[in-house]
Amino acid sequence: MQVLVVGGAGYIGSHMVKLLVQCGFEVTVLDNLSAGYRDAVRGARFVLGDLFERDVIEDLCRETGFDGVLHFASHIQVGESVREPAKYYRNNVFKTQNLLDVMVAQRVRCLIFSSTAAIFGEPVQIPIDENHPKQPMNPYGRGKWMVEQMLEDYDTAYGLKSVCLRYFNAAGADPEGELGERHDPETHLIPLVLQAASGRRSHITVFGDDYNTPDGTCIRDYIHISDLCEAHLLALQQLWAGADSAAYNLGNGNGFSVREVIETARQVTGRDIPVEYSKRRLGDPARLVADSRRAQAELGWSPRYADLATIIAHAWQWETRCA
Ligand code: UDP
């Protein structure tokens, strides 16, 4: 099977490529390297290109005849999306439509799309299942929800089948230590905490300790990158087997506060982690926890690394390589 991974040089994409290659697929990566790294792409054909260039995608699809596409190429910072909505709608929506149009024209029928818990906005109930109201609160979440709706319409009209996977907090690293999280700038909690542990940063700043949670800090559902990738593989296979389009929420169903993450990181690393407190970050809901029972029931997905200490240990293995 021929698989195209758009954004395959990034954090989640590169782990996905490794899994697909291990499973024996022929993998092509299309990435503009705006946030990814060429050396993170292992064992796959690499094409430097951007979804803006419709001709490039068209030629690629014509030459190779892909059986499926996984699309990871997004900007991901909520705060930045508020300051620069044009950047987010152009990249995450408009360029995605280019990809969909080429897929329709070239009869590539299966897409796995990276969506996000940000499509739900402020939760009205916890845990969050697939039917939870969609009220995104920022351009990042709104763009992802637009694409999800676009995909429904493309299925109805053109028969393009898709699975939208709504990630809660992707975290951790390749258990074999070859790949990990390399965002620049890094904004995610676990890598920042571990950089404070390794000495690459002086401290971790906790954004708000006055939330309505037991310890006052935000609660999130951290999901291991390998488990996330496994869900993509199962979703792709499900589409290939003839299933209908679907959407799944992906998390472990367990919430951990920022303080609990820092405490677990102290235990895993055995290092001191200096903490400072600052005011809340704009747009952060107090609590986000996934109900992933549908993914478990329909995809047969079951997380292997649900334990927070394991997620942090794998991320620490990567951090000690980078530090
Ligand atoms: N967070 C924090 N300090 C940081 C980065 C994140 O306190 O330097 C908090 C953030 O407010 C949120 C949680 O950690 O409650 C997870 O944030 P992250 O950016 O990793 O993921 P998000 O939930 O925004 O997708």
Side-chain angles (χ1 to χ4, degrees):
M1 293 297 231
Q2 290 280 356
V3 180
L4 174 64
V5 183
V6 184
Y11 170 47
I12 304 175
S14 61
H15 287 77
M16 190 70 227
V17 168
K18 181 172 172 179
L19 177 62
L20 289 165
V21 169
Q22 275 173 346
C23 293
F25 297 105
E26 296 288 323
V27 181
T28 300
V29 168
L30 176 72
D31 199 299
N32 65 9
L33 296 184
S34 63
Y37 297 87
R38 175 68 186 86
D39 64 11
V41 177
R42 310 276 177 101
R45 173 165 68 134
F46 180 80
V47 178
L48 180 65
D50 192 295
L51 289 181
F52 190 72
E53 304 158 299
R54 209 182 136 135
D55 298 354
V56 173
I57 330 168
E58 195 113 43
D59 290 348
L60 208 54
C61 287
R62 195 176 298 115
E63 278 164 26
T64 310
F66 295 110
D67 300 291
V69 177
L70 297 102
H71 178 23
F72 296 97
S74 296
H75 296 314
I76 56 163
Q77 290 181 44
V78 167
E80 185 185 55
S81 81
V82 176
R83 292 190 303 276
E84 296 183 61
K87 174 175 173 178
Y88 277 70
Y89 288 118
R90 188 176 307 111
N91 189 77
N92 294 6
V93 182
F94 172 70
K95 290 189 196 176
T96 298
Q97 193 180 6
N98 271 349
L99 175 65
L100 304 188
D101 289 344
V102 170
M103 289 179 69
V104 170
Q106 295 294 321
R107 296 187 178 76
V108 184
R109 298 175 64 85
C110 299
L111 173 74
I112 309 299
F113 177 64
S114 299
S115 189
T116 168
I119 65 167
F120 298 110
E122 190 68 47
V124 296
Q125 98 239 346
I126 294 283
I128 298 173
D129 68 13
E130 286 76 7
N131 297 321
H132 184 286
K134 319 297 184 295
Q135 290 163 335
M137 299 184 326
N138 48 62
Y140 170 66
R142 271 194 280 277
K144 290 286 184 178
W145 178 231
M146 281 176 195
V147 173
E148 286 208 20
Q149 292 171 291
M150 211 188 276
L151 284 169
E152 255 190 77
D153 295 335
Y154 272 55
D155 184 3
T156 307
Y158 312 125
L160 177 70
K161 298 293 170 201
S162 64
V163 176
C164 297
L165 298 176
R166 290 114 175 220
Y167 311 157
F168 281 63
N169 287 63
D174 172 29
E176 290 166 3
E178 287 181 353
L179 300 166
E181 197 164 356
R182 274 200 270 178
H183 294 120
D184 187 17
E186 187 53 76
T187 61
H188 291 120
L189 180 65
I190 290 178
L192 289 174
V193 166
L194 294 178
Q195 287 176 18
S198 72
R200 281 213 285 164
R201 280 174 201 266
S202 58
H203 63 277
I204 178 72
T205 303
V206 174
F207 298 139
D209 62 351
D210 57 351
Y211 285 94
N212 184 20
T213 58
D215 70 16
T217 64
C218 286
I219 291 177
R220 293 290 179 273
D221 185 341
Y222 296 90
I223 169 171
H224 195 289
I225 186 83
S226 297
D227 290 329
L228 202 58
C229 291
E230 192 65 35
H232 289 69
L233 182 60
L234 293 166
L236 188 59
Q237 288 168 333
Q238 180 170 276
L239 286 183
W240 283 338
D244 264 339
S245 294
Y248 299 108
N249 293 357
L250 294 178
N252 283 308
N254 293 319
F256 293 95
S257 72
V258 173
R259 278 204 172 103
E260 285 172 326
V261 168
I262 295 169
E263 194 41 50
T264 308
R266 285 195 177 111
Q267 285 162 17
V268 167
T269 63
R271 302 281 181 96
D272 181 35
I273 302 176
V275 176
E276 289 186 6
Y277 289 89
S278 78
K279 58 182 183 3
R280 294 180 176 195
R281 192 171 66 176
L282 223 61
D284 266 341
R287 195 188 288 256
L288 288 174
V289 179
D291 179 341
S292 296
R293 281 177 300 178
R294 186 190 284 180
Q296 298 188 12
E298 294 184 13
L299 294 175
W301 177 68
S302 101
R304 251 200 298 176
Y305 304 108
D307 173 42
L308 181 65
T310 308
I311 294 174
I312 292 179
H314 290 163
W316 178 238
Q317 180 172 264
W318 174 252
E319 169 59 22
T320 50
R321 254 191 70 177
C322 299

